[in-house]
Amino acid sequence: MAGFTASDGAHIAYRDVGQGTPIVLLHGLMAHGGFFEKQAPLADRFRLISIDLRGHGGSRMAGGRPTVERIAADVAELAEALDLESAVGVGWSLGATVLWHVLDGPAGARFAGAVVIDMTARVLNDAEWDLGLSIEACEARSAAIRDDFDSFARAAGEAIFAQPVTAEHRALADWAAGEFAANDGAAIGAVWASLVGQDVRALLAGIRHPTLIVHGARSQLYGADTADHLVAALPHARAVRFEGSGHAPHLEEPDLFNRTLEDFAARLSSTRAALPHDS
């Protein structure tokens, strides 16, 4: 696993395999870059860069209380360090919020498009917003992370899959539960608190990158109406529904996801090739 030193001195781990158009893979809360292992076959045609976000996996010892903004800064700095051009950003859950912050900043120029996997523009519901989670649900998660992280993490690792978990996915769900539980509860609590405080709705209209919204039809977190909101809010977005998936279509239906991602990247390349170039 490779690594780079962020501007505050923290070590951020990442994997960098394959050649071609860069695909930057950003995982969800309590996961790590290894949760994109089922996308490994794409390395035959793309450069896959999967980052262990600060507070997770190989970046677990970065220290401090990680925030979404600091994690986005890490991703932007790595994109600069690797001199990425025309990359495709893939953000799953937490990773999508991080990606939106990256695309809204100067590093956004290094990306040609984005794929958002089962995420909302705002996690915390209120009287005028109901496309996230209730106040009670968010408070319960915060308390569980603080008081019994191991039990919470293991349950969450299983819950990312369509329920009930099938025999086909049982070993994968058990693995995910164990990987989630291996995190430091304090660091995850800090990231979760920062995520709950996010409201990126104002950012979306300014993100001009073509975006594919991937929605798991059996997700326990977000429904089709959440995907519809993102399609309406982003200037150049369309949605695709994965009928057999919960919160993690890239894990649950990897062959279909990989084909969908490959097709999206090919369309971006074709669009860029058709644009007039400066003489």
Side-chain angles (χ1 to χ4, degrees), residues 70-271:
R70 179 61 252 189
I71 294 170
D74 295 339
V75 174
E77 290 172 13
L78 179 58
E80 175 77 17
L82 297 178
D83 195 23
L84 300 184
E85 294 183 3
S86 301
V88 179
V90 178
W92 168 37
S93 197
L94 162 68
T97 302
V98 171
L99 180 59
W100 283 323
H101 279 282
V102 173
L103 297 181
D104 185 58
R110 295 187 174 276
F111 289 82
V115 178
V116 169
I117 305 174
D118 210 55
M119 190 47 176
T120 181
R122 183 180 181 184
V123 171
L124 183 63
N125 286 343
D126 60 21
E128 299 179 349
W129 175 258
D130 64 355
L131 298 179
L133 305 177
S134 69
I135 294 174
E136 293 77 14
C138 289
E139 290 178 344
R141 285 168 180 255
S142 298
I145 291 171
R146 181 188 65 240
D147 298 336
D148 189 358
F149 177 72
D150 185 78
S151 295
F152 168 78
R154 291 181 182 279
E158 177 154 329
I160 64 174
F161 296 89
Q163 300 296 309
V165 176
T166 64
E168 176 188 3
H169 290 141
R170 169 46 55 196
L172 190 59
D174 290 345
W175 172 81
E179 295 299 296
F180 275 26
N183 286 287
D184 175 69
I188 297 302
V191 178
W192 167 248
S194 178
L195 183 61
V196 170
Q198 297 291 313
D199 183 351
V200 302
R201 287 177 291 178
L203 300 183
L204 298 184
I207 295 176
R208 314 299 298 183
H209 302 72
T211 301
L212 183 67
I213 307 299
V214 174
H215 165 59
R218 299 173 65 187
S219 172
Q220 298 184 81
L221 292 175
Y222 309 116
D225 50 355
T226 305
D228 291 342
H229 168 264
L230 292 177
V231 170
L234 288 157
H236 305 290
R238 63 182 178 89
V240 59
R241 179 181 173 99
F242 282 65
E243 297 294 342
S245 293
H247 186 53
H250 62 293
L251 287 170
E252 298 172 89
E253 298 179 81
D255 292 340
L256 177 58
F257 180 87
N258 290 353
R259 291 195 302 271
T260 302
L261 177 54
E262 185 173 10
D263 179 67
F264 178 70
R267 289 172 182 266
L268 290 177
S269 296
S270 297
T271 300

